[in-house]
Every structure is written in structure tokens, then in C-alpha cells.
Amino acid sequence: MSSAAVSFAINDRPGVSPDTRERILEAARELGWRPSASARALTEARTRAIGFVLARDPEQIELDSFFVRFLSGLERTLAPADYALLLQLVPEGPALSAYERLAFQGRVDGFLLADVEVDDPRFPLLQDAGLPVVLAGHPAGECPFPWVETRHAEGTAAAVEHLRALGHERIAFLGGSPDHEHVQARLERWIQAAGPAAGLVVHARAGAAGEGAREVLGGSAGPDAEVEPPTAVVCTSDALALALVGAAREAGLSVPDDISVVGFDDSPLAALASPALTSVRVDYAEFGAAAAGALLAAISGVEPPAYSPSAPELVARASTATARR
């Protein structure tokens, strides 16, 4: 049997009959043979790795259920395709140097981008690099790359509907960085859903969750703005919601008797908090698997797999209750 036939069979290429392919693969299994990843990468002119740069303080990762679930979804797709994830943790910000290093040193075949920003500075850099890129998120404007997205904004509407059903008429919004597209999307859905119940909007920058929570409880969007304090708050993460619960306690307020709180992501801490946190759950593992599948398709130059994101789920717990009259 020729070496060419063995190569065709092992690499699942045409040129051998099904019977011959099966005999070769069976012999390989009996011999305990495994393909060489480095040799395969050289033959294909690929690294068989994708780049994912995460701008987070390592301490934040411990509390960020989005990325734990998202990464598990990535591996669900990458491992069967014999691809590795090259993860870089960098400080908050666009981290352009990390993208430059990975792209121009030829260490990855493509990139996944998360934390999509309204005017994302990574787009022109990666467009010049000429590598396949897929966004895990919806671009706010023109974008040179394909993207996949969840239905996360619907979760904000569900949170507002839950609070309005409990009789709340003054519902505030406590969000993360306004530079992030997903925060803006949730804010827009909050405005649409809350209507006349829409009230105070506060954005908490990284590391300033407590400050943002106290601003919400103070009922003012600034030093000169006086508005009636909210009876309920929709937050864009469980971390912000838990900061709000803590700030309420410091202010002598009870959750949910004085103020109801809804988080987002339904992290493990949501169920363990006191009171247990009402939160919106999104299937981020499904999202990660779809994003990885879209990037592998872009690398191979084929159509991406079909992706129909599941609806978010509001998990009602003890941090929300009927509004006081």
C-alpha cells in the first residue's frame, strides 16, 4: 500500500476507497498511532489555534460567570476540531499590543472578539492583519467581520416586565461601561420596556460598582439632579446587583422590602446571595460554541453552521417583591 494512500486516509482526503480507508484506520488504531499536531500544522500552514484576548483583572474572572460558561462553549467546539484556544489575560482596555503580537508573529489562525465596543479600535488593526475574525457580540455600526449574538437584550425586557407586574413604577438602570455595545443594547431594551416606569440611569466603570450602586440609591444622576428614588433596579450583571444589595444594607434599606433588585447572568453567587438574587440567565455556553464554530468556518472558507440562540430566562428569587404603596 502506498504512502500516499495512507496519507489520504489518515487526513480524511479523497483518493482512496472506503474499504481501504477503513483498513488503514484500523491498522493505525491497533498500532496506537496518533497524528503529529506540529507536522499537521506545518502541512496545512496553520497553527491550529485561535486567539482570544480577555481584558479583565484576574480577580474579576472569579466572579464573571459569562466567561466561564463562554469558554466551556468554545472548548465544546474547538476540541473535536483539534483546535486549541490561546487565551491572553490583559488589563482593562483594547489591549492592541496583545492582538499585534499574536497576529503578526503567526501564532493563531484567527481571533474571537468579545466586549465589542461602540467604536472598537481593534477592527482596523485586525483588518490589516488579514486573519479571520468573528465577533462574539453585535457590532454597533459598520463592521468588517462576521458576528454571532445571543438574545440577551430580551432578558432586560423580561426583568422590567417582572418588576412592573409587582407594581413598581420607578425602575432604575445600573449598567456597566457605556462603551460596551451589550450594555447599550440592554439600556435600549430597558427604555423600551419600562416606558413611563423608566427612571434613573447610572453607569459604573470597572472597579467602581459600589460607587454606582450608591448613586442609584441616592436617586440622583448627578450633583444637580434631584429625582424620586427608585423602588426597583435592573442591573447588567450580578456583580453590580450584589454591590447594590450591599450598598442598600449600608444605607439602612432592606432588599426587597425597600428596593427590589434584578441581576444579569444568573451566576452561581446569585442563588447563594442573601437575599437570593433574581437574575436573567443566558446560555453563554451555547453562545461560545456557536462563536467558535463560526470562526472555524471562516478559517476554512466555508459557510458557518446555523445558529439559533435560545431565549434568556428570568429566574425569580427573593431579591424582588411587591412594591410598597
Side-chain angles (χ1 to χ4, degrees), residues 113-116 134-139 146-150 152 181 287:
L113 300 188
D115 289 336
V116 181
V134 169
L135 273 61
H138 192 297
W147 50 270
V148 295
E149 180 60 295
T150 66
H152 67 91
E181 184 279 331
F287 182 38

Side-chain angles (χ1 to χ4, degrees), residues 2-9 16:
S2 70
S3 59
V6 173
S7 177
F8 290 160
V16 293

Side-chain angles (χ1 to χ4, degrees), residues 12-94:
D12 196 25
R13 294 168 57 191
V16 293
S17 68
D19 289 343
T20 300
R21 185 187 307 276
E22 183 54 37
R23 287 200 305 273
I24 293 170
L25 294 177
E26 179 61 28
R29 286 191 289 268
E30 290 176 359
L31 293 170
W33 180 86
R34 296 289 185 273
S36 166
S38 58
R40 186 176 179 185
L42 287 171
T43 302
E44 296 179 346
R46 292 180 182 174
T47 66
R48 302 200 72 79
I50 67 166
F52 185 46
V53 179
L54 188 53
R56 287 288 191 283
D57 186 301
E59 294 181 357
Q60 288 182 283
I61 299 295
E62 297 176 351
L63 304 176
D64 197 332
S65 64
F66 166 81
F67 283 105
V68 172
R69 294 168 180 166
F70 185 74
L71 291 173
S72 72
L74 294 182
E75 286 299 316
R76 183 192 302 173
T77 295
L78 296 177
D82 195 24
Y83 256 81
L85 176 67
L86 204 167
L87 174 64
Q88 295 265 293
L89 283 180
V90 298
E92 287 281 343

